[in-house]
Amino acid sequence: MKEVKILYLYPDMLELYGDYGNIQVLKYRMEKRGIACVVDSYSIGDAKPDFSSYDIVFAGGGADNEQSILAEDLLQYKEEMKVAVQKGVFFLLICGAYQLFGKYYKGVEGNVIPGLEVFPYYTEAIGDRKKRCIGNIVLEVALKKEQPTKVIGFENHGGQTFGSVSPFGKVLFGNGNSFGDKQEGFFMGNVIATYLHGPLLSKNPEVADYIIEYCLERKYGETIALQALDDRFEQKCREQMLQRLLKSKK
Ligand code: GLN
């Protein structure tokens, strides 16, 4: 039986927006196909994990305060994270975690939280707690260069991210990396770093399957064609959301 191993970072501190749902969706979509999914977690005080031994490293969103508390702990793994990215481990990073893998995150109080500098972007919050990018968001994303797909989510961030040289998607509705930006997130073949909560994968089964296929092909060295699942409910919800959000744009 094929197996995918997930490392879930700081579940006790980066779970303000329910991003754990992404792990539940991945686990569900793998187990439905007879693929084992093992989930380990790591937080402050735990033994140092072997990041490169995992197929997926996942971290979610959180408040500025929690980000500043865990940043010190996270920074000790800067080199290991860079190696894991280079080796092709898949990184799924949502909002607060997305910010911390960049150069730095300057919070709403003006405090600068040093980032891992794994990716070239940086983030600065506007010094006004009321000025946050909050609401539904729709992107156009080209996961495998073929036909682009629409990705739906919910954003809630004060941080404005700049310098994302390789965005996850083009903004069709909502803000994106900063107010009124036309681009959102950061994407490489094995990295999706995005502001999209939702949880992201519950609204976008195609993105979940992209991650599963990537991990299996990398680990087992064979082309994977995942058996289709019954996504009628997900597709119905997507149609409703796209109708509501994109029609209102016209
Ligand atoms: N605290 C960060 C911000 O406000 C990240 C928020 C989040 O993870 N949703 O931008």
Side-chain angles (χ1 to χ4, degrees):
M1 176 188 273
K2 290 188 168 59
E3 177 188 83
V4 170
K5 285 175 62 190
I6 301 175
L7 178 63
Y8 180 15
L9 298 180
Y10 306 105
D12 53 344
M13 302 181 83
L14 291 179
E15 184 39 32
L16 188 59
Y17 300 87
D19 297 312
Y20 171 65
N22 289 302
I23 289 185
Q24 291 173 304
V25 169
L26 286 169
K27 196 169 169 63
Y28 169 81
R29 297 186 73 82
M30 282 191 249
E31 290 175 351
K32 267 281 187 191
R33 291 159 165 145
I35 302 160
C37 176
V38 173
V39 182
D40 292 339
S41 64
Y42 167 83
S43 194
I44 298 173
D46 291 343
K48 173 178 168 182
D50 176 1
F51 296 97
S52 291
S53 70
Y54 287 91
D55 302 299
I56 299 171
V57 172
F58 170 78
D64 288 21
N65 183 46
E66 280 71 14
Q67 287 175 282
S68 59
I69 292 168
L70 71 89
E72 197 183 326
D73 183 76
L74 180 64
L75 281 175
Q76 66 184 311
Y77 302 126
K78 182 186 273 195
E79 291 318 312
E80 288 88 342
M81 293 295 189
K82 285 182 180 171
V83 167
V85 169
Q86 283 156 10
K87 283 186 173 177
V89 172
F90 197 95
F91 280 73
L92 178 58
L93 306 169
I94 310 292
C95 202
Y98 163 29
Q99 295 170 339
L100 292 178
F101 271 67
K103 290 180 179 168
Y104 66 86
Y105 170 49
K106 184 176 173 190
V108 71
E109 305 290 346
N111 56 314
V112 177
I113 304 171
L116 286 173
E117 298 179 289
V118 180
F119 307 122
Y121 50 79
Y122 63 94
T123 304
E124 298 188 355
I126 296 166
D128 174 350
R129 285 188 178 285
K130 294 193 194 66
K131 289 210 171 24
R132 293 181 66 80
C133 297
I134 299 180
N136 289 303
I137 180 168
V138 179
L139 308 178
E140 186 166 80
V141 172
L143 285 166
K144 281 187 178 170
K145 306 262 182 289
E146 59 211 28
Q147 188 63 18
T149 185
K150 290 194 176 48
V151 172
I152 305 165
F154 189 87
E155 61 182 328
N156 182 342
H157 55 101
Q160 308 289 295
T161 296
F162 304 99
S164 170
V165 293
S166 165
F168 178 41
K170 185 172 90 175
V171 178
L172 301 179
F173 181 92
N175 288 291
N177 279 332
S178 57
F179 279 109
D181 202 336
K182 287 286 152 266
Q183 298 183 331
E184 195 285 330
F186 176 80
F187 178 59
M188 292 173 13
N190 62 312
V191 180
I192 292 179
T194 176
Y195 276 116
L196 273 65
H197 300 294
L200 170 72
L201 300 182
S202 66
K203 299 188 172 187
N204 305 283
E206 204 172 329
V207 180
D209 286 354
Y210 166 83
I211 296 171
I212 296 168
E213 267 178 22
Y214 169 89
C215 290
L216 293 174
E217 289 184 352
R218 172 179 176 258
K219 189 167 193 172
Y220 296 101
E222 59 189 73
T223 307
I224 298 283
L226 290 176
Q227 150 214 352
L229 297 181
D230 178 0
D231 290 339
R232 281 173 296 175
F233 184 71
E234 289 86 342
Q235 294 309 335
K236 224 103 218 57
C237 294
R238 286 172 53 82
E239 281 161 29
Q240 288 297 316
M241 288 295 284
L242 292 173
Q243 173 92 34
R244 177 152 62 94
L245 300 176
L246 298 186
K247 198 165 84 44
S248 66
K249 282 280 281 183
K250 285 195 180 80

